[in-house]
Amino acid sequence: MKAIVVHEYGGPEVLKYEENPDPVAGVGEVVVRVAATSVNPADYKQRAGLMKDGFPIDFPGVIGLDVSGTIVSIGREVHGFAVGDPVFGMANHTYAQLCVVKATSLAHLPEGLDMAVAAALPTVTTTGNQLISLGTGVSTGQTVLVSGAAGNVGRSAVFTAKVRGAVVLAGVRKKQLQEAASLGADQVIATDDPEAMNGLAQLDAVADTVGGKTAEELITKVKKGGVFASVLGVPQNAKEYPAVRVVPVYVRPDAKILQLMAAAVKDGKLVIPIGPKIALKDAAKAHAVAEKGGIGKVLLVA
């Protein structure tokens, strides 16, 4: 098969389209013929070596976290799937024509959902859901601020928090205020506006997708006994707020969550903006485009 193979850390130019051995399904696994994958920030950070301490590339290696496609072979002890089934989910080594996926990480493609669009959903929508459901744990009547709400993980978190009955504040930059009005939050606040931040009432929880100085400021807005959950680790000033429970959230595959979030996308209740669809062989171009940002989810089409 053809795959995007990385032989060393570096810029987009290290992504090479070349022959790579076909994968074989093990116990509990299937092989998927990849229709599409997507470019996540974790992909280009891993490619650049920024994640090598926790998630190194085993050179020569193939990166990628999302997949949509069709099952072409099935390993032992796989239930609920058959050869020919259209599926999508979280996986590893998805920048390829074929990839191995744990069957428990896959969901059947909902009827009416475009297969390429489905490749944009697994990592970002599952992360956003788990940031709320496993991180903040907010429920009916509680108030949560989602930072970076205009991003794909943030959008997914806003949707999940509203489904759980929370009062949701969408935290965005001032230049995103108009865009954020369509996110379905109860209130929109510019986190880079000092006046708006000073007037922010105490919160039951923060769901953070931004980190840095914004996170350090937002933790000060969480009431005693509240929760600060983040996909970007612990704020540097967290020790100054011992009455706030800080919960780092690390995404893990969950087919049931993925089906829920995909249904919301199909029904128009959750919008994940889609950017350009670029051929797999042009992954270097796709990374260069994605790293500039502001264009929606970049898809790689095999």
Side-chain angles (χ1 to χ4, degrees), residues 5-16 42-52 57 59 63 284 287-288 291:
V5 183
V6 182
H7 296 271
E8 61 182 337
Y9 294 119
E13 71 280 356
V14 303
L15 300 173
K16 305 296 184 182
D43 296 345
Y44 45 79
K45 290 177 182 178
Q46 189 181 30
R47 181 214 73 217
L50 301 178
M51 301 172 67
K52 60 185 176 182
I57 299 174
F59 298 123
I63 62 174
H287 271 223
E291 286 185 77

Short mmCIF file of all heavy atoms in Angstrom, two decimals, residues 5-16 42-52 57 59 63 284 287-288 291:
data_model
loop_
_atom_site.label_atom_id
_atom_site.label_comp_id
_atom_site.label_asym_id
_atom_site.label_seq_id
_atom_site.Cartn_x
_atom_site.Cartn_y
_atom_site.Cartn_z
N VAL A 5 4.95 8.35 5.00
CA VAL A 5 5.93 7.81 5.92
C VAL A 5 6.87 8.92 6.40
O VAL A 5 7.34 9.73 5.60
CB VAL A 5 6.75 6.68 5.26
CG1 VAL A 5 7.73 6.07 6.26
CG2 VAL A 5 5.81 5.60 4.72
N VAL A 6 7.10 8.95 7.70
CA VAL A 6 7.98 9.95 8.32
C VAL A 6 9.27 9.26 8.74
O VAL A 6 9.24 8.29 9.51
CB VAL A 6 7.30 10.61 9.53
CG1 VAL A 6 8.20 11.69 10.12
CG2 VAL A 6 5.95 11.19 9.14
N HIS A 7 10.41 9.76 8.27
CA HIS A 7 11.71 9.17 8.60
C HIS A 7 12.48 10.00 9.63
O HIS A 7 13.48 9.53 10.19
CB HIS A 7 12.56 9.02 7.34
CG HIS A 7 12.00 8.06 6.34
ND1 HIS A 7 12.29 6.71 6.34
CD2 HIS A 7 11.12 8.26 5.31
CE1 HIS A 7 11.64 6.12 5.35
NE2 HIS A 7 10.92 7.03 4.72
N GLU A 8 12.04 11.23 9.85
CA GLU A 8 12.71 12.11 10.80
C GLU A 8 11.75 13.24 11.18
O GLU A 8 10.79 13.52 10.46
CB GLU A 8 13.98 12.71 10.18
CG GLU A 8 13.71 13.54 8.93
CD GLU A 8 14.97 14.09 8.31
OE1 GLU A 8 15.97 14.21 9.04
OE2 GLU A 8 14.95 14.39 7.09
N TYR A 9 12.00 13.87 12.33
CA TYR A 9 11.19 15.01 12.73
C TYR A 9 11.55 16.22 11.87
O TYR A 9 12.68 16.38 11.43
CB TYR A 9 11.42 15.33 14.21
CG TYR A 9 10.94 14.26 15.16
CD1 TYR A 9 11.84 13.62 16.01
CD2 TYR A 9 9.60 13.90 15.22
CE1 TYR A 9 11.41 12.63 16.89
CE2 TYR A 9 9.16 12.92 16.08
CZ TYR A 9 10.07 12.29 16.92
OH TYR A 9 9.63 11.32 17.78
N GLY A 10 10.56 17.07 11.65
CA GLY A 10 10.82 18.27 10.88
C GLY A 10 9.54 18.93 10.41
O GLY A 10 8.46 18.71 10.95
N GLY A 11 9.66 19.75 9.36
CA GLY A 11 8.53 20.46 8.79
C GLY A 11 7.69 19.56 7.90
O GLY A 11 7.94 18.36 7.80
N PRO A 12 6.71 20.14 7.22
CA PRO A 12 5.84 19.34 6.35
C PRO A 12 6.60 18.52 5.30
O PRO A 12 6.12 17.47 4.87
CB PRO A 12 4.96 20.40 5.68
CG PRO A 12 4.91 21.52 6.66
CD PRO A 12 6.27 21.55 7.28
N GLU A 13 7.80 18.98 4.95
CA GLU A 13 8.56 18.29 3.90
C GLU A 13 9.01 16.88 4.28
O GLU A 13 9.39 16.08 3.41
CB GLU A 13 9.80 19.12 3.51
CG GLU A 13 10.90 19.19 4.55
CD GLU A 13 10.66 20.19 5.67
OE1 GLU A 13 9.63 20.91 5.60
OE2 GLU A 13 11.49 20.25 6.60
N VAL A 14 8.94 16.53 5.59
CA VAL A 14 9.36 15.18 5.99
C VAL A 14 8.25 14.14 5.74
O VAL A 14 8.47 12.94 5.93
CB VAL A 14 9.79 15.13 7.48
CG1 VAL A 14 10.90 16.12 7.75
CG2 VAL A 14 8.61 15.34 8.42
N LEU A 15 7.08 14.59 5.30
CA LEU A 15 5.97 13.67 5.00
C LEU A 15 6.15 13.12 3.59
O LEU A 15 5.96 13.85 2.60
CB LEU A 15 4.63 14.41 5.14
CG LEU A 15 4.32 15.00 6.51
CD1 LEU A 15 3.05 15.85 6.45
CD2 LEU A 15 4.19 13.92 7.57
N LYS A 16 6.52 11.86 3.48
CA LYS A 16 6.86 11.26 2.19
C LYS A 16 5.81 10.21 1.79
O LYS A 16 5.48 9.33 2.58
CB LYS A 16 8.23 10.58 2.27
CG LYS A 16 9.36 11.50 2.74
CD LYS A 16 9.61 12.64 1.76
CE LYS A 16 10.81 13.48 2.19
NZ LYS A 16 11.03 14.63 1.27
N ALA A 42 -2.40 17.66 16.80
CA ALA A 42 -1.48 16.64 17.32
C ALA A 42 -0.63 16.03 16.22
O ALA A 42 0.51 15.62 16.46
CB ALA A 42 -2.27 15.55 18.04
N ASP A 43 -1.17 15.98 15.00
CA ASP A 43 -0.42 15.39 13.88
C ASP A 43 0.82 16.22 13.56
O ASP A 43 1.92 15.69 13.44
CB ASP A 43 -1.30 15.30 12.64
CG ASP A 43 -2.49 14.38 12.80
OD1 ASP A 43 -2.49 13.58 13.76
OD2 ASP A 43 -3.42 14.46 11.99
N TYR A 44 0.63 17.53 13.39
CA TYR A 44 1.80 18.32 13.01
C TYR A 44 2.73 18.59 14.19
O TYR A 44 3.92 18.78 14.01
CB TYR A 44 1.46 19.60 12.23
CG TYR A 44 0.35 20.48 12.72
CD1 TYR A 44 0.51 21.36 13.77
CD2 TYR A 44 -0.89 20.48 12.07
CE1 TYR A 44 -0.50 22.20 14.17
CE2 TYR A 44 -1.91 21.32 12.45
CZ TYR A 44 -1.72 22.18 13.51
OH TYR A 44 -2.72 23.02 13.91
N LYS A 45 2.21 18.54 15.41
CA LYS A 45 3.10 18.62 16.57
C LYS A 45 3.94 17.35 16.69
O LYS A 45 5.14 17.41 16.99
CB LYS A 45 2.28 18.84 17.84
CG LYS A 45 1.64 20.21 17.94
CD LYS A 45 0.79 20.34 19.19
CE LYS A 45 0.11 21.70 19.25
NZ LYS A 45 -0.76 21.83 20.45
N GLN A 46 3.32 16.20 16.45
CA GLN A 46 4.07 14.95 16.49
C GLN A 46 5.11 14.92 15.37
O GLN A 46 6.26 14.52 15.58
CB GLN A 46 3.13 13.76 16.37
CG GLN A 46 3.80 12.41 16.61
CD GLN A 46 2.87 11.23 16.47
OE1 GLN A 46 1.92 11.28 15.70
NE2 GLN A 46 3.13 10.17 17.21
N ARG A 47 4.71 15.33 14.18
CA ARG A 47 5.64 15.37 13.04
C ARG A 47 6.85 16.24 13.32
O ARG A 47 7.98 15.93 12.95
CB ARG A 47 4.89 15.92 11.82
CG ARG A 47 5.69 16.03 10.54
CD ARG A 47 5.25 17.24 9.74
NE ARG A 47 5.69 18.48 10.33
CZ ARG A 47 4.99 19.60 10.35
NH1 ARG A 47 3.78 19.66 9.83
NH2 ARG A 47 5.51 20.70 10.91
N ALA A 48 6.63 17.36 14.03
CA ALA A 48 7.70 18.30 14.30
C ALA A 48 8.57 17.89 15.48
O ALA A 48 9.60 18.53 15.75
CB ALA A 48 7.10 19.69 14.57
N GLY A 49 8.17 16.83 16.20
CA GLY A 49 8.94 16.38 17.35
C GLY A 49 8.56 17.05 18.64
O GLY A 49 9.23 16.87 19.66
N LEU A 50 7.47 17.82 18.63
CA LEU A 50 7.06 18.54 19.83
C LEU A 50 6.39 17.64 20.86
O LEU A 50 6.17 18.05 22.00
CB LEU A 50 6.10 19.67 19.45
CG LEU A 50 6.66 20.72 18.48
CD1 LEU A 50 5.59 21.75 18.15
CD2 LEU A 50 7.89 21.39 19.07
N MET A 51 6.08 16.39 20.46
CA MET A 51 5.43 15.45 21.37
C MET A 51 6.28 14.19 21.58
O MET A 51 5.78 13.17 22.03
CB MET A 51 4.05 15.06 20.81
CG MET A 51 3.11 16.23 20.60
SD MET A 51 1.59 15.77 19.74
CE MET A 51 0.80 14.72 20.96
N LYS A 52 7.56 14.27 21.23
CA LYS A 52 8.38 13.06 21.23
C LYS A 52 8.61 12.47 22.61
O LYS A 52 8.92 11.28 22.73
CB LYS A 52 9.71 13.31 20.53
CG LYS A 52 10.59 14.37 21.15
CD LYS A 52 11.83 14.59 20.27
CE LYS A 52 12.69 15.70 20.78
NZ LYS A 52 13.86 15.93 19.89
N ILE A 57 7.55 9.13 17.42
CA ILE A 57 7.34 8.37 16.19
C ILE A 57 8.40 7.29 16.13
O ILE A 57 9.58 7.56 16.30
CB ILE A 57 7.44 9.28 14.95
CG1 ILE A 57 6.37 10.37 14.99
CG2 ILE A 57 7.29 8.45 13.67
CD1 ILE A 57 6.49 11.39 13.87
N PHE A 59 10.43 5.56 13.91
CA PHE A 59 10.84 5.74 12.51
C PHE A 59 11.23 4.40 11.86
O PHE A 59 11.85 3.56 12.51
CB PHE A 59 12.02 6.71 12.42
CG PHE A 59 11.71 8.09 12.92
CD1 PHE A 59 12.48 8.65 13.95
CD2 PHE A 59 10.69 8.84 12.38
CE1 PHE A 59 12.22 9.93 14.41
CE2 PHE A 59 10.42 10.13 12.84
CZ PHE A 59 11.18 10.67 13.86
N ILE A 63 1.79 8.59 10.81
CA ILE A 63 1.00 9.30 11.81
C ILE A 63 -0.47 9.32 11.42
O ILE A 63 -0.86 8.76 10.40
CB ILE A 63 1.54 10.73 12.04
CG1 ILE A 63 1.42 11.56 10.75
CG2 ILE A 63 2.98 10.68 12.51
CD1 ILE A 63 1.79 13.03 10.94
N ALA A 284 2.00 16.88 2.78
CA ALA A 284 2.87 18.00 3.15
C ALA A 284 2.15 19.33 2.93
O ALA A 284 2.19 20.23 3.78
CB ALA A 284 4.17 17.95 2.36
N HIS A 287 -0.54 19.79 5.65
CA HIS A 287 0.00 20.25 6.93
C HIS A 287 0.33 21.73 6.90
O HIS A 287 0.05 22.47 7.85
CB HIS A 287 1.24 19.43 7.30
CG HIS A 287 0.92 18.20 8.08
ND1 HIS A 287 1.64 17.79 9.19
CD2 HIS A 287 -0.07 17.29 7.94
CE1 HIS A 287 1.12 16.68 9.66
NE2 HIS A 287 0.09 16.34 8.92
N ALA A 288 0.93 22.17 5.80
CA ALA A 288 1.27 23.59 5.69
C ALA A 288 0.02 24.46 5.74
O ALA A 288 0.00 25.51 6.39
CB ALA A 288 2.03 23.83 4.39
N GLU A 291 -1.60 24.27 9.44
CA GLU A 291 -0.85 24.99 10.47
C GLU A 291 -1.09 26.49 10.42
O GLU A 291 -0.88 27.19 11.42
CB GLU A 291 0.65 24.68 10.34
CG GLU A 291 1.00 23.28 10.82
CD GLU A 291 2.50 23.01 10.82
OE1 GLU A 291 3.18 23.48 11.74
OE2 GLU A 291 2.98 22.33 9.88
#
